[in-house]
């Protein structure tokens, strides 16, 4: 039996803009997805969230191939809704996709039991699906002693993310896989991935609002449907702020950092990505001279907030009736647990 884990992630800046080729700064967060795997006849998947079910190895491998074909079809038409409806049909489909994909890539023909335990709130902008994909691919690599490199594991997780979200940037799975604080930019032939070895980020508090009513794929599509010129202008501004943020974080220029975080939230809001709850938190935190932004796909989930006195953030978030929490930023990526 083996056990591995991968952390969730949080965009310090650059979500959505990263889809259009701009850089992003992403931190691995101290909430993790744990996957324990053992040899077994069929493939047994067990998770607190979705329960337990068994599948044949063949069924999972074929499912992953079907998803690949569907993805290609959707990519040609630039419309991923048929893929999303297929994925939504069964709560096991996301896990089936990554297990099937990993089995195809690794050439696995033996069964396994997979147990998933995750601390990461699902669909909240903290990379729950990426952490699951990285940890599952990492677990199968260990169980079958395939000796895949971290890059190869990351590629499997990216494929699973493509099935779940259509055109993910790859920033989520990369951060969950490598950990730390990451400068990420989508590029050909290879993405740019630079570890930012700064002092530990302090003073951030998360605020949990509620599970978004739209998926990441749907929210990325919503932004894509926006007027192209206007979208490019705003995404360029986020891209420029990301470049500034790199220096700001290094030099701990907190005044500037707050202004950038707030402006980022304004731009994300201008695309229709906010909800009443996130607006409420944002406004209250600005009133106490702090900063707040939505995270990941947005539309609820968690918000990232900052203030020189973090206790003021906790008090404000609490007072509004939401759940504040603090967790380390820049933690270790995929790792063996035993
Ligand atoms: O909501 P999450 O955790 O899946 O993050 C999505 C981040 C986006 O920039 C909106 C999409 C992407 O693939 O980078």
């Amino acid at each position: 039996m083996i056990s591995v884990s991968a952390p969730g992630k949080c965009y310090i800046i650059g979500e959505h803009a990263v889809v259009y080729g701009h850089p992003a700064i992403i931190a691995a967060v101290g909430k993790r997805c744990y996957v324990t795997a053992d040899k077994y006849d069929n493939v047994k998947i067990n998770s607190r969230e979705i329960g337990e079910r068994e599948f044949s190895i063949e069924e999972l491998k074929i499912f992953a191939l079907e998803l690949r074909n569907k993805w290609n079809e959707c990519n040609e038409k630039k419309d991923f809704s048929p893929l999303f409806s297929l994925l939504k049909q069964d709560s096991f489909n996301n896990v089936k996709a990554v297990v099937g994909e990993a089995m195809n890539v690794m050439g696995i023909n033996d069964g396994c039991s997979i147990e998933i335990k995750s601390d990461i709130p699902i669909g909240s902008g903290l990379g729950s699906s990426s952490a699951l994909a990285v940890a599952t691919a990492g677990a199968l690599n260990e169980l079958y002693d395939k000796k895949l490199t971290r890059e190869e594991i990351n590629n499997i997780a990216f494929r699973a993310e493509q099935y779940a979200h259509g055109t993910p940037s790859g920033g989520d799975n990369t951060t969950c896989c490598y950990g730390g604080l990451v400068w990420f930019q989508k590029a050909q032939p290879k993405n740019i991935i630079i570890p930012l070895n700064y002092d530990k980020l302090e003073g951030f508090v998360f605020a949990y609002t509620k599970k978004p009513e739209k998926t990441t794929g749907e929210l990325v599509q919503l932004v894509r449907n926006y007027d192209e010129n206007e979208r490019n202008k705003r995404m360029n501004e986020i891209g420029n702020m990301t470049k500034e943020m790199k220096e700001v974080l290094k030099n701990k220029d907190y005044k500037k950092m707050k202004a950038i975080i707030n402006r980022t939230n304004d731009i994300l809001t201008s695309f229709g990505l906010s909800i009443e709850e996130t607006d409420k938190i944002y406004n209250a935190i600005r009133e106490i001279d702090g900063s707040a932004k939505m995270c990941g796909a947005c539309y609820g989930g968690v918000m990232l907030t900052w203030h020189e006195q973090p206790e003021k953030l906790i008090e404000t978030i609490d007072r509004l009736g939401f759940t504040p929490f603090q967790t380390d930023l820049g933690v270790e990526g995929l790792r063996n647990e035993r």
Side-chain angles (χ1 to χ4, degrees):
M1 185 160 76
I2 61 92
S3 190
V4 309
S5 75
K9 60 83 221 186
C10 157
Y11 276 83
I12 304 297
I13 185 166
E15 53 271 270
H16 285 286
V18 75
V19 173
Y20 300 91
H22 295 287
I25 300 176
I26 319 170
V29 301
K31 288 190 178 286
R32 307 186 73 88
C33 175
Y34 297 85
V35 173
T36 302
D38 207 348
K39 298 278 172 73
Y40 190 70
D41 303 339
N42 286 321
V43 180
K44 183 162 78 182
I45 297 171
N46 175 296
S47 130
R48 270 189 302 224
E49 276 75 28
I50 54 176
E52 182 172 294
R53 240 158 70 195
E54 274 190 42
F55 305 91
S56 74
I57 301 162
E58 215 38 45
E59 182 183 353
L60 294 187
K61 286 181 149 186
I62 291 170
F63 183 60
L65 291 176
E66 272 173 11
L67 288 176
R68 172 65 20 197
N69 289 336
K70 192 53 121 201
W71 188 90
N72 286 335
E73 264 173 44
C74 292
N75 193 39
E76 257 172 44
K77 295 187 184 134
K78 292 284 166 266
D79 175 15
F80 289 92
S81 22
L83 179 69
F84 301 152
S85 352
L86 175 67
L87 256 292
K88 269 186 172 173
Q89 277 169 17
D90 184 339
S91 54
F92 276 83
N93 278 352
N94 281 325
V95 192
K96 280 171 66 182
V98 63
V99 177
E101 184 67 33
M103 288 187 146
N104 284 333
V105 173
M106 296 184 202
I108 295 168
N109 294 310
D110 298 317
C112 58
S113 64
I114 295 171
E115 198 189 352
I116 301 156
K117 284 193 179 134
S118 183
D119 299 339
I120 310 165
I122 292 179
S124 61
L126 283 183
S128 57
S129 70
S130 295
L132 170 68
V134 168
T136 305
L140 295 182
N141 178 48
E142 284 297 315
L143 184 69
Y144 298 102
D145 197 22
K146 290 287 174 184
K147 302 201 167 33
L148 256 56
T149 62
R150 204 154 270 232
E151 191 179 352
E152 287 168 319
I153 293 172
N154 195 28
N155 286 341
I156 295 173
F158 179 62
R159 284 262 179 128
E161 285 285 275
Q162 284 187 313
Y163 303 149
H165 305 311
T167 53
S169 60
D172 290 26
N173 50 280
T174 299
T175 309
C176 298
C177 191
Y178 293 93
L181 183 68
V182 177
W183 171 273
F184 177 87
Q185 189 166 13
K186 227 168 67 165
Q188 289 297 337
K190 243 179 174 199
N191 294 334
I192 300 168
I193 303 165
I194 306 171
L196 301 177
N197 299 315
Y198 300 164
D199 290 347
K200 195 168 165 215
L201 301 181
E202 307 275 8
F204 286 97
V205 173
F206 288 97
Y208 184 71
T209 60
K210 65 175 191 188
K211 191 165 183 278
E213 277 159 22
K214 293 182 196 292
T215 64
T216 296
E218 287 164 345
L219 291 163
V220 168
Q221 187 77 44
L222 187 128
V223 175
R224 184 172 292 118
N225 294 344
Y226 220 79
D227 173 72
E228 199 178 333
N229 282 334
E230 196 47 47
R231 187 187 63 214
N232 288 344
K233 218 166 79 191
R234 294 181 209 174
M235 292 307 182
N236 279 341
E237 190 182 342
I238 296 184
N240 289 333
M241 286 195 291
T242 302
K243 289 175 197 151
E244 260 188 280
M245 188 65 128
K246 192 165 170 244
E247 298 311 308
V248 161
L249 289 176
K250 188 158 117 195
N251 303 327
K252 301 189 183 164
D253 181 352
Y254 294 129
K255 192 159 172 255
K256 192 135 202 202
M257 185 180 85
K258 286 202 284 187
I260 292 179
I261 291 177
N262 288 333
R263 177 67 190 143
T264 304
N265 195 69
D266 289 341
I267 297 179
L268 294 171
T269 300
S270 76
F271 284 114
L273 292 167
S274 75
I275 56 168
E276 204 186 315
E277 288 83 348
T278 55
D279 287 343
K280 224 173 168 177
I281 294 175
Y282 177 65
N283 292 331
I285 285 179
R286 287 213 64 168
E287 265 173 37
I288 59 161
D289 198 26
S291 58
K293 65 174 267 293
M294 296 175 282
C295 289
C298 309
Y299 218 68
V302 296
M303 289 190 88
L304 180 69
T305 70
W306 194 90
H307 196 285
E308 290 81 355
Q309 294 163 277
E311 58 286 359
K312 286 198 173 172
L313 297 170
I314 295 174
E315 192 271 319
T316 306
I317 296 163
D318 240 350
R319 179 170 48 79
L320 293 174
F322 298 103
T323 315
F325 63 92
Q326 284 176 290
T327 182
D328 286 340
L329 294 174
V331 304
E332 198 183 343
L334 175 66
R335 71 173 182 220
N336 287 352
E337 290 294 328
R338 66 170 101 103

